[in-house]
Amino acid sequence: MEKFTQLRGTAAPMDMINIDTDMIIPKQYLKTIKRTGLGKHAFAEMRYNDDGSEKPDFVLNKPQYRNAQVIVAEDNFGCGSSREHAPWALLDFGIKCVISTSFADIFYNNCFKNGILPIKVTREQLRELMDDANKGSNAVLEIDLENQTIGRPNGESVPFEIDAHRKHCLLNGLDDIGQTLQQAPKIDSFEEKRKAAMPWA
């Protein structure tokens, strides 16, 4: 998993509550078990017309937000089904951070396992950041995970809280497998002892 330390990127405003995982990646795209290739289908029903043409009013189709790396959204982002394809699709599109007042628990956990930083902020902070995200080409936020701050375009800084273990994993690019591999010497030692004690097994 790629390390997350700092990010300076355009923030796209999604001023909606309850953006669920079916909106993020509709069910017809869940046939794959690959983590790549889903970005073109992210928000498909909001992003495209029935003939496949783009809906010009959708935020990620607007020129200033096509390369957004941050989403600023309203309450309860990632609710609905537990599909891990949702963070896969966001990451493949280029989204590395989502800021909201609240997240669905499973989606929140899946973000950390896939290298996306979900940041919880207060209602007042969200209003400020949503205003920033609405500034189009000037909607640039600077995310500093080590210092746990969001740098605003006006120079102000918004602090945020994060679990220490999850922070460690993102800073070091450790998913569940990576965390297990950190214990490789202990695992090898256990296996050698077990093999000596139970050679028939």
Side-chain angles (χ1 to χ4, degrees):
M1 188 173 78
E2 186 176 345
K3 295 180 180 180
F4 189 113
T5 53
Q6 294 180 326
L7 171 66
R8 186 178 190 276
T10 301
M14 290 195 173
D15 196 1
M16 301 172 56
I17 63 170
N18 303 324
I19 295 177
D20 65 32
T21 52
D22 192 53
M23 294 167 70
I24 297 171
I25 185 69
K27 59 185 180 300
Q28 60 266 35
Y29 304 112
L30 303 184
K31 298 174 184 178
T32 183
I33 57 172
K34 296 180 180 179
R35 300 187 184 196
T36 57
L38 290 170
K40 61 186 176 184
H41 304 303
F43 301 103
E45 294 177 0
M46 302 167 69
R47 197 168 153 198
Y48 303 113
N49 293 305
D50 290 341
D51 63 2
S53 61
E54 292 186 349
K55 295 180 179 180
D57 291 339
F58 181 60
V59 62
L60 296 178
N61 288 337
K62 296 179 179 180
Q64 61 268 42
Y65 297 113
R66 283 186 177 274
N67 297 312
Q69 292 181 285
V70 181
I71 287 175
V72 180
E74 284 288 347
D75 304 344
N76 202 27
F77 191 92
C79 57
S81 68
S82 59
R83 63 192 69 171
E84 194 169 357
H85 293 68
W88 293 357
L90 291 176
L91 194 61
D92 194 58
F93 179 86
I95 301 299
K96 297 180 179 179
C97 177
V98 182
I99 302 171
S100 179
T101 56
S102 60
F103 295 88
D105 287 344
I106 294 175
F107 175 83
Y108 186 74
N109 292 330
N110 282 338
C111 280
F112 287 105
K113 293 179 180 181
N114 289 281
I116 296 175
L117 173 61
I119 298 177
K120 295 178 182 179
V121 294
T122 66
R123 167 58 49 192
E124 182 179 352
Q125 290 169 336
L126 184 72
R127 281 198 298 268
E128 294 174 344
L129 294 168
M130 191 70 77
D131 286 344
D132 291 338
N134 276 302
K135 291 178 179 176
S137 58
N138 294 318
V140 176
L141 299 179
E142 297 186 13
I143 315 297
D144 185 335
L145 178 55
E146 180 64 47
N147 294 306
Q148 298 178 204
T149 58
I150 304 167
R152 299 181 59 203
N154 65 2
E156 293 182 1
S157 182
V158 176
F160 63 89
E161 297 297 322
I162 184 173
D163 174 78
H165 176 68
R166 286 171 165 160
K167 176 180 177 179
H168 168 79
C169 290
L170 280 179
L171 287 172
N172 292 280
L174 297 172
D175 56 14
D176 288 349
I177 294 174
Q179 293 178 65
T180 301
L181 290 176
Q182 284 193 314
Q183 305 301 320
K186 292 181 180 179
I187 295 170
D188 291 342
S189 176
F190 172 81
E191 290 293 340
E192 287 297 322
K193 290 177 182 177
R194 183 175 181 275
K195 183 177 180 181
M198 304 172 63
W200 62 87

Short mmCIF file of all heavy atoms in Angstrom, two decimals, residues 1-4 35 84 87-88 91 96-98 103-120 145 160-177 179:
data_model
loop_
_atom_site.label_atom_id
_atom_site.label_comp_id
_atom_site.label_asym_id
_atom_site.label_seq_id
_atom_site.Cartn_x
_atom_site.Cartn_y
_atom_site.Cartn_z
N MET A 1 0.84 -1.19 0.00
CA MET A 1 0.00 0.00 0.00
C MET A 1 0.88 1.25 0.00
O MET A 1 1.89 1.31 0.69
CB MET A 1 -0.90 -0.02 1.24
CG MET A 1 -1.95 1.06 1.28
SD MET A 1 -3.08 0.85 2.67
CE MET A 1 -2.09 1.47 4.03
N GLU A 2 0.51 2.23 -0.79
CA GLU A 2 1.29 3.47 -0.87
C GLU A 2 1.20 4.25 0.44
O GLU A 2 0.13 4.34 1.05
CB GLU A 2 0.77 4.32 -2.02
CG GLU A 2 1.59 5.56 -2.30
CD GLU A 2 1.09 6.33 -3.50
OE1 GLU A 2 0.30 5.77 -4.29
OE2 GLU A 2 1.50 7.51 -3.65
N LYS A 3 2.31 4.82 0.86
CA LYS A 3 2.33 5.62 2.09
C LYS A 3 1.52 6.90 1.89
O LYS A 3 1.49 7.48 0.80
CB LYS A 3 3.76 5.98 2.47
CG LYS A 3 4.63 4.80 2.85
CD LYS A 3 6.03 5.26 3.21
CE LYS A 3 6.92 4.09 3.59
NZ LYS A 3 8.30 4.53 3.94
N PHE A 4 0.89 7.35 2.96
CA PHE A 4 0.21 8.64 2.97
C PHE A 4 0.90 9.51 4.02
O PHE A 4 0.84 9.20 5.21
CB PHE A 4 -1.28 8.48 3.30
CG PHE A 4 -2.08 9.75 3.11
CD1 PHE A 4 -3.04 9.83 2.13
CD2 PHE A 4 -1.86 10.86 3.92
CE1 PHE A 4 -3.78 11.00 1.94
CE2 PHE A 4 -2.58 12.03 3.75
CZ PHE A 4 -3.54 12.09 2.75
N ARG A 35 -8.32 -4.27 -8.04
CA ARG A 35 -8.49 -2.95 -7.43
C ARG A 35 -8.29 -1.83 -8.45
O ARG A 35 -8.41 -0.66 -8.10
CB ARG A 35 -7.49 -2.77 -6.29
CG ARG A 35 -7.66 -3.79 -5.18
CD ARG A 35 -6.79 -3.48 -4.00
NE ARG A 35 -6.89 -4.50 -2.97
CZ ARG A 35 -6.50 -4.36 -1.72
NH1 ARG A 35 -5.94 -3.23 -1.33
NH2 ARG A 35 -6.63 -5.34 -0.85
N GLU A 84 -16.08 -3.25 -0.58
CA GLU A 84 -14.76 -2.64 -0.55
C GLU A 84 -14.41 -2.01 -1.90
O GLU A 84 -13.47 -1.23 -2.02
CB GLU A 84 -13.70 -3.68 -0.17
CG GLU A 84 -12.36 -3.06 0.22
CD GLU A 84 -11.40 -4.05 0.85
OE1 GLU A 84 -11.78 -5.22 1.04
OE2 GLU A 84 -10.26 -3.64 1.15
N PRO A 87 -13.96 2.18 -1.85
CA PRO A 87 -12.66 2.85 -1.76
C PRO A 87 -11.73 2.50 -2.92
O PRO A 87 -10.92 3.34 -3.33
CB PRO A 87 -12.09 2.37 -0.42
CG PRO A 87 -12.90 1.18 -0.03
CD PRO A 87 -14.24 1.36 -0.65
N TRP A 88 -11.85 1.29 -3.48
CA TRP A 88 -11.04 0.96 -4.66
C TRP A 88 -11.34 1.94 -5.79
O TRP A 88 -10.42 2.42 -6.46
CB TRP A 88 -11.34 -0.46 -5.14
CG TRP A 88 -10.93 -1.57 -4.24
CD1 TRP A 88 -10.26 -1.47 -3.06
CD2 TRP A 88 -11.18 -2.97 -4.43
NE1 TRP A 88 -10.06 -2.72 -2.50
CE2 TRP A 88 -10.61 -3.65 -3.32
CE3 TRP A 88 -11.82 -3.70 -5.42
CZ2 TRP A 88 -10.68 -5.04 -3.19
CZ3 TRP A 88 -11.89 -5.08 -5.30
CH2 TRP A 88 -11.32 -5.74 -4.20
N LEU A 91 -9.97 5.50 -5.04
CA LEU A 91 -8.52 5.55 -5.16
C LEU A 91 -8.09 5.47 -6.62
O LEU A 91 -7.17 6.18 -7.05
CB LEU A 91 -7.88 4.42 -4.35
CG LEU A 91 -6.38 4.51 -4.09
CD1 LEU A 91 -6.04 5.78 -3.30
CD2 LEU A 91 -5.90 3.29 -3.33
N LYS A 96 -7.65 10.55 -2.66
CA LYS A 96 -6.82 10.00 -1.59
C LYS A 96 -7.27 10.44 -0.20
O LYS A 96 -6.73 9.97 0.80
CB LYS A 96 -5.36 10.42 -1.82
CG LYS A 96 -4.78 9.86 -3.11
CD LYS A 96 -3.34 10.30 -3.31
CE LYS A 96 -2.77 9.72 -4.59
NZ LYS A 96 -1.37 10.15 -4.83
N CYS A 97 -8.23 11.33 -0.16
CA CYS A 97 -8.71 11.83 1.13
C CYS A 97 -10.18 12.24 1.01
O CYS A 97 -10.57 12.85 0.01
CB CYS A 97 -7.87 13.04 1.56
SG CYS A 97 -8.39 13.83 3.10
N VAL A 98 -10.97 11.86 2.00
CA VAL A 98 -12.38 12.27 2.06
C VAL A 98 -12.60 12.95 3.41
O VAL A 98 -12.21 12.42 4.45
CB VAL A 98 -13.34 11.08 1.92
CG1 VAL A 98 -14.79 11.57 1.95
CG2 VAL A 98 -13.07 10.30 0.63
N PHE A 103 -18.79 9.15 8.91
CA PHE A 103 -18.66 8.09 7.91
C PHE A 103 -19.36 6.83 8.41
O PHE A 103 -19.44 6.59 9.62
CB PHE A 103 -17.18 7.74 7.68
CG PHE A 103 -16.36 8.83 7.09
CD1 PHE A 103 -15.73 9.78 7.90
CD2 PHE A 103 -16.17 8.93 5.71
CE1 PHE A 103 -14.96 10.78 7.37
CE2 PHE A 103 -15.40 9.93 5.17
CZ PHE A 103 -14.78 10.87 5.99
N ALA A 104 -19.81 6.01 7.47
CA ALA A 104 -20.27 4.67 7.84
C ALA A 104 -19.05 3.87 8.30
O ALA A 104 -17.97 3.97 7.71
CB ALA A 104 -20.92 3.99 6.63
N ASP A 105 -19.22 3.08 9.36
CA ASP A 105 -18.08 2.41 10.00
C ASP A 105 -17.29 1.51 9.05
O ASP A 105 -16.06 1.55 9.03
CB ASP A 105 -18.55 1.58 11.19
CG ASP A 105 -18.94 2.44 12.39
OD1 ASP A 105 -18.55 3.62 12.40
OD2 ASP A 105 -19.62 1.93 13.29
N ILE A 106 -17.98 0.67 8.28
CA ILE A 106 -17.27 -0.28 7.41
C ILE A 106 -16.51 0.47 6.33
O ILE A 106 -15.34 0.16 6.04
CB ILE A 106 -18.25 -1.31 6.81
CG1 ILE A 106 -18.83 -2.19 7.92
CG2 ILE A 106 -17.54 -2.17 5.76
CD1 ILE A 106 -19.89 -3.16 7.46
N PHE A 107 -17.13 1.46 5.71
CA PHE A 107 -16.43 2.26 4.70
C PHE A 107 -15.22 2.95 5.31
O PHE A 107 -14.14 2.97 4.71
CB PHE A 107 -17.38 3.29 4.09
CG PHE A 107 -16.69 4.23 3.12
CD1 PHE A 107 -16.50 3.85 1.80
CD2 PHE A 107 -16.22 5.47 3.55
CE1 PHE A 107 -15.84 4.70 0.92
CE2 PHE A 107 -15.57 6.32 2.67
CZ PHE A 107 -15.38 5.93 1.35
N TYR A 108 -15.40 3.51 6.49
CA TYR A 108 -14.31 4.20 7.19
C TYR A 108 -13.11 3.27 7.39
O TYR A 108 -11.97 3.61 7.08
CB TYR A 108 -14.84 4.70 8.53
CG TYR A 108 -13.90 5.56 9.33
CD1 TYR A 108 -13.64 6.88 8.97
CD2 TYR A 108 -13.30 5.08 10.49
CE1 TYR A 108 -12.80 7.69 9.72
CE2 TYR A 108 -12.46 5.87 11.26
CZ TYR A 108 -12.21 7.18 10.86
OH TYR A 108 -11.37 7.97 11.61
N ASN A 109 -13.38 2.05 7.87
CA ASN A 109 -12.31 1.08 8.07
C ASN A 109 -11.67 0.66 6.75
O ASN A 109 -10.45 0.49 6.67
CB ASN A 109 -12.86 -0.16 8.80
CG ASN A 109 -13.26 0.14 10.23
OD1 ASN A 109 -12.68 1.01 10.87
ND2 ASN A 109 -14.26 -0.57 10.73
N ASN A 110 -12.48 0.47 5.72
CA ASN A 110 -11.95 0.06 4.42
C ASN A 110 -11.05 1.13 3.80
O ASN A 110 -10.11 0.80 3.06
CB ASN A 110 -13.09 -0.27 3.46
CG ASN A 110 -13.70 -1.64 3.71
OD1 ASN A 110 -13.05 -2.51 4.30
ND2 ASN A 110 -14.93 -1.84 3.27
N CYS A 111 -11.33 2.38 4.09
CA CYS A 111 -10.46 3.45 3.58
C CYS A 111 -9.03 3.28 4.08
O CYS A 111 -8.08 3.32 3.30
CB CYS A 111 -11.00 4.82 4.01
SG CYS A 111 -12.37 5.41 3.01
N PHE A 112 -8.88 3.07 5.37
CA PHE A 112 -7.55 2.91 5.95
C PHE A 112 -6.83 1.70 5.38
O PHE A 112 -5.61 1.71 5.18
CB PHE A 112 -7.64 2.79 7.47
CG PHE A 112 -7.97 4.08 8.16
CD1 PHE A 112 -9.24 4.30 8.67
CD2 PHE A 112 -7.01 5.07 8.31
CE1 PHE A 112 -9.54 5.50 9.31
CE2 PHE A 112 -7.31 6.27 8.94
CZ PHE A 112 -8.58 6.49 9.45
N LYS A 113 -7.58 0.64 5.09
CA LYS A 113 -6.97 -0.57 4.55
C LYS A 113 -6.52 -0.43 3.11
O LYS A 113 -5.80 -1.28 2.58
CB LYS A 113 -7.96 -1.73 4.66
CG LYS A 113 -8.26 -2.14 6.10
CD LYS A 113 -9.27 -3.27 6.16
CE LYS A 113 -9.55 -3.67 7.59
NZ LYS A 113 -10.51 -4.79 7.68
N ASN A 114 -6.96 0.65 2.46
CA ASN A 114 -6.62 0.85 1.05
C ASN A 114 -5.85 2.13 0.78
O ASN A 114 -5.65 2.50 -0.38
CB ASN A 114 -7.91 0.83 0.22
CG ASN A 114 -8.50 -0.56 0.13
OD1 ASN A 114 -8.05 -1.39 -0.65
ND2 ASN A 114 -9.51 -0.85 0.96
N GLY A 115 -5.40 2.81 1.83
CA GLY A 115 -4.55 3.97 1.65
C GLY A 115 -5.26 5.29 1.46
O GLY A 115 -4.65 6.28 1.05
N ILE A 116 -6.55 5.33 1.77
CA ILE A 116 -7.31 6.59 1.72
C ILE A 116 -7.45 7.13 3.13
O ILE A 116 -7.73 6.38 4.06
CB ILE A 116 -8.70 6.37 1.10
CG1 ILE A 116 -8.58 5.93 -0.36
CG2 ILE A 116 -9.55 7.63 1.21
CD1 ILE A 116 -9.90 5.58 -1.01
N LEU A 117 -7.26 8.42 3.30
CA LEU A 117 -7.40 9.05 4.61
C LEU A 117 -8.80 9.66 4.75
O LEU A 117 -9.12 10.65 4.10
CB LEU A 117 -6.34 10.14 4.80
CG LEU A 117 -6.47 11.00 6.06
CD1 LEU A 117 -6.36 10.14 7.33
CD2 LEU A 117 -5.41 12.10 6.06
N PRO A 118 -9.67 9.08 5.60
CA PRO A 118 -10.96 9.70 5.89
C PRO A 118 -10.81 10.60 7.13
O PRO A 118 -10.37 10.16 8.18
CB PRO A 118 -11.86 8.50 6.19
CG PRO A 118 -10.93 7.46 6.76
CD PRO A 118 -9.54 7.75 6.23
N ILE A 119 -11.17 11.86 6.98
CA ILE A 119 -11.00 12.82 8.07
C ILE A 119 -12.36 13.27 8.58
O ILE A 119 -13.21 13.74 7.81
CB ILE A 119 -10.20 14.05 7.61
CG1 ILE A 119 -8.79 13.64 7.17
CG2 ILE A 119 -10.11 15.09 8.73
CD1 ILE A 119 -7.96 14.79 6.63
N LYS A 120 -12.56 13.15 9.88
CA LYS A 120 -13.79 13.64 10.51
C LYS A 120 -13.56 15.04 11.06
O LYS A 120 -12.57 15.29 11.76
CB LYS A 120 -14.20 12.71 11.66
CG LYS A 120 -14.57 11.30 11.22
CD LYS A 120 -14.92 10.44 12.43
CE LYS A 120 -15.25 9.00 12.02
NZ LYS A 120 -15.56 8.14 13.19
N LEU A 145 -0.67 14.56 7.40
CA LEU A 145 -1.08 13.51 8.33
C LEU A 145 -0.21 13.49 9.58
O LEU A 145 -0.71 13.29 10.68
CB LEU A 145 -1.04 12.15 7.63
CG LEU A 145 -1.39 10.93 8.49
CD1 LEU A 145 -2.75 11.09 9.15
CD2 LEU A 145 -1.33 9.66 7.66
N PHE A 160 -7.22 17.92 13.01
CA PHE A 160 -8.15 16.78 13.05
C PHE A 160 -7.56 15.67 13.90
O PHE A 160 -6.35 15.59 14.10
CB PHE A 160 -8.47 16.27 11.63
CG PHE A 160 -7.29 15.71 10.86
CD1 PHE A 160 -6.93 14.37 10.95
CD2 PHE A 160 -6.55 16.54 10.02
CE1 PHE A 160 -5.85 13.86 10.23
CE2 PHE A 160 -5.48 16.04 9.29
CZ PHE A 160 -5.12 14.70 9.40
N GLU A 161 -8.43 14.81 14.40
CA GLU A 161 -8.03 13.69 15.23
C GLU A 161 -8.02 12.41 14.41
O GLU A 161 -8.79 12.26 13.46
CB GLU A 161 -8.99 13.53 16.42
CG GLU A 161 -9.00 14.71 17.37
CD GLU A 161 -7.67 14.92 18.06
OE1 GLU A 161 -7.01 13.90 18.40
OE2 GLU A 161 -7.28 16.08 18.25
N ILE A 162 -7.15 11.49 14.79
CA ILE A 162 -7.08 10.19 14.12
C ILE A 162 -6.50 9.17 15.08
O ILE A 162 -5.63 9.51 15.90
CB ILE A 162 -6.24 10.27 12.82
CG1 ILE A 162 -6.27 8.94 12.06
CG2 ILE A 162 -4.82 10.71 13.10
CD1 ILE A 162 -5.61 9.00 10.69
N ASP A 163 -6.98 7.95 15.01
CA ASP A 163 -6.46 6.88 15.84
C ASP A 163 -4.97 6.69 15.57
O ASP A 163 -4.53 6.67 14.41
CB ASP A 163 -7.22 5.59 15.53
CG ASP A 163 -6.65 4.39 16.24
OD1 ASP A 163 -6.91 4.23 17.44
OD2 ASP A 163 -5.91 3.62 15.59
N ALA A 164 -4.17 6.55 16.63
CA ALA A 164 -2.71 6.48 16.49
C ALA A 164 -2.26 5.29 15.65
O ALA A 164 -1.33 5.39 14.84
CB ALA A 164 -2.06 6.42 17.88
N HIS A 165 -2.92 4.14 15.83
CA HIS A 165 -2.52 2.95 15.06
C HIS A 165 -2.83 3.12 13.58
O HIS A 165 -2.00 2.78 12.73
CB HIS A 165 -3.22 1.71 15.61
CG HIS A 165 -2.94 0.47 14.81
ND1 HIS A 165 -1.69 -0.13 14.79
CD2 HIS A 165 -3.73 -0.28 13.99
CE1 HIS A 165 -1.73 -1.19 14.01
NE2 HIS A 165 -2.95 -1.30 13.51
N ARG A 166 -3.99 3.66 13.28
CA ARG A 166 -4.35 3.88 11.88
C ARG A 166 -3.43 4.91 11.23
O ARG A 166 -3.05 4.78 10.06
CB ARG A 166 -5.81 4.33 11.78
CG ARG A 166 -6.79 3.19 12.03
CD ARG A 166 -8.19 3.70 12.14
NE ARG A 166 -9.16 2.60 12.04
CZ ARG A 166 -10.40 2.67 12.48
NH1 ARG A 166 -10.83 3.79 13.05
NH2 ARG A 166 -11.22 1.65 12.34
N LYS A 167 -3.08 5.91 11.99
CA LYS A 167 -2.13 6.91 11.49
C LYS A 167 -0.79 6.25 11.17
O LYS A 167 -0.21 6.50 10.11
CB LYS A 167 -1.95 8.00 12.55
CG LYS A 167 -0.91 9.06 12.19
CD LYS A 167 -0.81 10.09 13.30
CE LYS A 167 0.27 11.13 13.00
NZ LYS A 167 0.35 12.17 14.07
N HIS A 168 -0.30 5.42 12.07
CA HIS A 168 0.96 4.70 11.86
C HIS A 168 0.91 3.87 10.58
O HIS A 168 1.87 3.87 9.78
CB HIS A 168 1.26 3.81 13.07
CG HIS A 168 2.37 2.83 12.85
ND1 HIS A 168 3.71 3.19 12.93
CD2 HIS A 168 2.35 1.50 12.54
CE1 HIS A 168 4.46 2.12 12.68
NE2 HIS A 168 3.66 1.09 12.44
N CYS A 169 -0.19 3.17 10.39
CA CYS A 169 -0.31 2.30 9.21
C CYS A 169 -0.30 3.11 7.92
O CYS A 169 0.37 2.73 6.94
CB CYS A 169 -1.59 1.47 9.31
SG CYS A 169 -1.51 0.20 10.58
N LEU A 170 -1.02 4.23 7.88
CA LEU A 170 -1.02 5.06 6.67
C LEU A 170 0.35 5.67 6.42
O LEU A 170 0.83 5.68 5.27
CB LEU A 170 -2.07 6.16 6.80
CG LEU A 170 -3.52 5.79 6.51
CD1 LEU A 170 -4.42 7.01 6.71
CD2 LEU A 170 -3.69 5.24 5.10
N LEU A 171 0.97 6.20 7.45
CA LEU A 171 2.29 6.83 7.28
C LEU A 171 3.32 5.85 6.75
O LEU A 171 4.25 6.23 6.03
CB LEU A 171 2.78 7.42 8.62
CG LEU A 171 2.09 8.69 9.09
CD1 LEU A 171 2.55 9.04 10.51
CD2 LEU A 171 2.37 9.86 8.15
N ASN A 172 3.15 4.58 7.10
CA ASN A 172 4.13 3.56 6.71
C ASN A 172 3.64 2.65 5.59
O ASN A 172 4.33 1.69 5.22
CB ASN A 172 4.52 2.72 7.93
CG ASN A 172 5.30 3.53 8.95
OD1 ASN A 172 6.49 3.75 8.80
ND2 ASN A 172 4.62 4.00 9.99
N GLY A 173 2.47 2.94 5.05
CA GLY A 173 1.95 2.16 3.94
C GLY A 173 1.65 0.72 4.29
O GLY A 173 1.93 -0.19 3.50
N LEU A 174 1.08 0.50 5.47
CA LEU A 174 0.84 -0.86 5.96
C LEU A 174 -0.65 -1.22 5.90
O LEU A 174 -1.46 -0.66 6.63
CB LEU A 174 1.32 -1.00 7.40
CG LEU A 174 2.83 -0.81 7.65
CD1 LEU A 174 3.11 -0.79 9.14
CD2 LEU A 174 3.62 -1.90 6.95
N ASP A 175 -0.99 -2.14 5.01
CA ASP A 175 -2.33 -2.71 5.05
C ASP A 175 -2.29 -3.93 5.97
O ASP A 175 -1.28 -4.16 6.66
CB ASP A 175 -2.83 -3.08 3.65
CG ASP A 175 -1.89 -4.03 2.91
OD1 ASP A 175 -0.99 -4.62 3.55
OD2 ASP A 175 -2.04 -4.18 1.69
N ASP A 176 -3.34 -4.74 6.01
CA ASP A 176 -3.38 -5.89 6.91
C ASP A 176 -2.23 -6.87 6.63
O ASP A 176 -1.61 -7.40 7.56
CB ASP A 176 -4.72 -6.62 6.80
CG ASP A 176 -5.86 -5.83 7.42
OD1 ASP A 176 -5.58 -4.83 8.11
OD2 ASP A 176 -7.03 -6.20 7.21
N ILE A 177 -1.95 -7.10 5.35
CA ILE A 177 -0.86 -8.02 4.99
C ILE A 177 0.48 -7.43 5.41
O ILE A 177 1.35 -8.12 5.94
CB ILE A 177 -0.89 -8.33 3.49
CG1 ILE A 177 -2.15 -9.10 3.13
CG2 ILE A 177 0.35 -9.13 3.07
CD1 ILE A 177 -2.36 -9.34 1.65
N GLN A 179 1.09 -5.38 7.83
CA GLN A 179 1.24 -5.48 9.28
C GLN A 179 1.65 -6.89 9.69
O GLN A 179 2.49 -7.07 10.58
CB GLN A 179 -0.08 -5.11 9.97
CG GLN A 179 -0.46 -3.65 9.81
CD GLN A 179 -1.78 -3.36 10.48
OE1 GLN A 179 -1.91 -3.45 11.70
NE2 GLN A 179 -2.79 -3.00 9.70
#
